[in-house]
Every structure is written in structure tokens, then in C-alpha cells.
């Protein structure tokens, strides 16, 4: 279920969601209404660049988990889900360009082709406050790496406050 977020809201369920992150304006919240799946908040310049920040726990107790390993495992699941989307026809192609596990995120960079247009897409995953925090950042901009890194770094800074 998608819903608008009032302008004065800067936190949702204890997580920071300012009006803008790295120049992208906040748009709407989506609640997944299923145990463990949580919610997401979209930041977007329509048609050009968008980022979804997902907060979820998969009904797991993440307090005792090794955070970096849990994040890396979730990244692999996210990449598998993207390949499933290719098989289902949502994307024509998805290629993994790079993967890394640098604090605070397990990260992957992909190129995704959808409706004949290829874009850079990034997955950043960490564990914060007993939940997975996953950022899916997608853009057609030529400086995609810098933009995605800036968005992820700004959100990591917000999480650490």
C-alpha cells in the first residue's frame, strides 16, 4: 500500500527519512503488509533517478547476527531476486559489474535493461537497529557511481546519528 509522507515527517519507525537525500526528493512510503517485509520509502526524480530504501527484518532476530555477513547474504538474495525478475520478463537483462563488502554496506553494482533502456543500478545493504536496511539506487545519469555512492554515504551518516 503506497501512501504520501507529510512534509514535516523526518523519521519513520525510528529511521531517518529527510525531505531530500543527495538531491533526490522524498516521494512516498510503501507498506508491504506481510510479517517481516516492513516498508520502503522512495526518493526520485521521475524517469531519471530513483532510490528505494527498504526497512525489514524477515521476522529474524538480527541482534545476534554478524551484521556484515547478514548484509552480504541479503545482497546475494537481492541479486537472485533481480535474476528472477529477468526470468519473469520484468527486465530484459541484468549484469553484475562489481560486488564488495565495505563498512557499512554489502554492495553490488549492476546494469539493468528494462524496456530497451539500460541503467546503472546499485544495491546497498546493512543492518541497523535490528533491521536490514537496503537501498536500491537506479539511474541513467553518466556519473552513476558518484551519485549512488553519495546517496548511500549520506544515508549511512543519517543512520549513525
Amino acid at each position: 500500500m503506497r501512501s504520501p509522507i507529510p512534509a514535516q515527517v523526518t523519521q519513520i519507525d525510528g529511521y531517518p527519512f529527510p525531505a531530500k537525500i543527495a538531491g533526490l526528493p522524498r516521494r512516498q512510503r510503501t507498506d508491504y503488509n506481510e510479517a517481516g517485509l516492513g516498508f520502503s520509502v522512495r526518493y526520485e526524480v521521475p524517469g531519471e533517478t530513483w532510490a528505494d530504501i527498504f526497512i525489514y527484518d524477515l521476522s529474524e532476530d538480527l541482534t545476534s547476527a554478524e551484521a556484515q555477513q547478514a548484509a552480504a547474504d541479503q545482497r546475494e538474495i537481492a541479486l537472485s531476486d533481480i535474476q528472477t525478475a529477468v526470468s519473469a520478463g520484468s527486465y530484459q537483462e541484468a549484469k553484475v559489474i562489481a560486488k564488495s563488502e565495505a563498512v557499512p554496506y554489502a554492495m553490488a553494482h549492476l546494469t539493468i535493461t528494462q524496456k530497451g533502456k539500460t541503467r546503472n543500478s546499485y544495491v546497498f545493504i546493512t543492518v541497523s537497529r535490528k533491521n536490514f536496511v537496503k537501498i536500491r539506487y537506479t539511474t541513467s545519469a553518466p556519473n552513476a557511481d558518484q551519485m549512488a555512492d553519495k546517496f548511500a554515504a549520506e544515508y549511512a551518516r543519517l543512520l549513525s546519528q
Side-chain angles (χ1 to χ4, degrees):
M1 181 177 93
R2 292 181 184 199
S3 57
I5 303 169
Q8 73 275 13
V9 170
T10 59
Q11 290 228 341
I12 300 172
D13 292 352
Y15 288 85
F17 290 100
K20 282 188 174 186
I21 300 175
L24 284 182
R26 186 183 64 204
R27 296 294 178 197
Q28 78 270 350
R29 171 183 173 155
T30 301
D31 289 294
Y32 296 101
N33 298 322
E34 192 172 318
L37 296 186
F39 67 95
S40 65
V41 173
R42 173 160 282 200
Y43 286 80
E44 179 178 29
V45 173
E48 180 186 316
T49 300
W50 58 93
D52 293 299
I53 301 173
F54 299 85
I55 309 293
Y56 61 99
D57 67 5
L58 297 177
S59 299
E60 294 178 19
D61 178 5
L62 298 172
T63 55
S64 61
E66 202 289 302
Q68 276 300 108
Q69 186 59 53
D73 292 346
Q74 276 300 296
R75 179 200 54 213
E76 295 308 310
I77 290 169
L79 293 174
S80 176
D81 290 346
I82 291 167
Q83 289 305 321
T84 298
V86 171
S87 297
S90 297
Y91 301 132
Q92 286 132 347
E93 187 174 54
K95 292 182 185 175
V96 176
I97 306 299
K99 295 193 294 187
S100 68
E101 287 93 29
V103 173
Y105 296 110
M107 184 276 269
H109 172 201
L110 306 95
T111 55
I112 301 232
T113 304
Q114 185 178 33
K115 297 177 184 171
K117 182 165 177 119
T118 300
R119 295 180 176 91
N120 286 288
S121 193
Y122 302 80
V123 176
F124 298 90
I125 302 179
T126 191
V127 175
S128 176
R129 302 176 197 147
K130 301 180 186 179
N131 284 295
F132 290 109
V133 176
K134 175 172 70 175
I135 298 170
R136 178 79 188 274
Y137 189 97
T138 304
T139 186
S140 57
N143 58 341
D145 287 347
Q146 295 88 346
M147 291 174 62
D149 288 346
K150 182 178 181 184
F151 189 94
E154 282 190 29
Y155 200 69
R157 183 183 52 76
L158 292 168
L159 283 175
S160 69
Q161 294 178 349

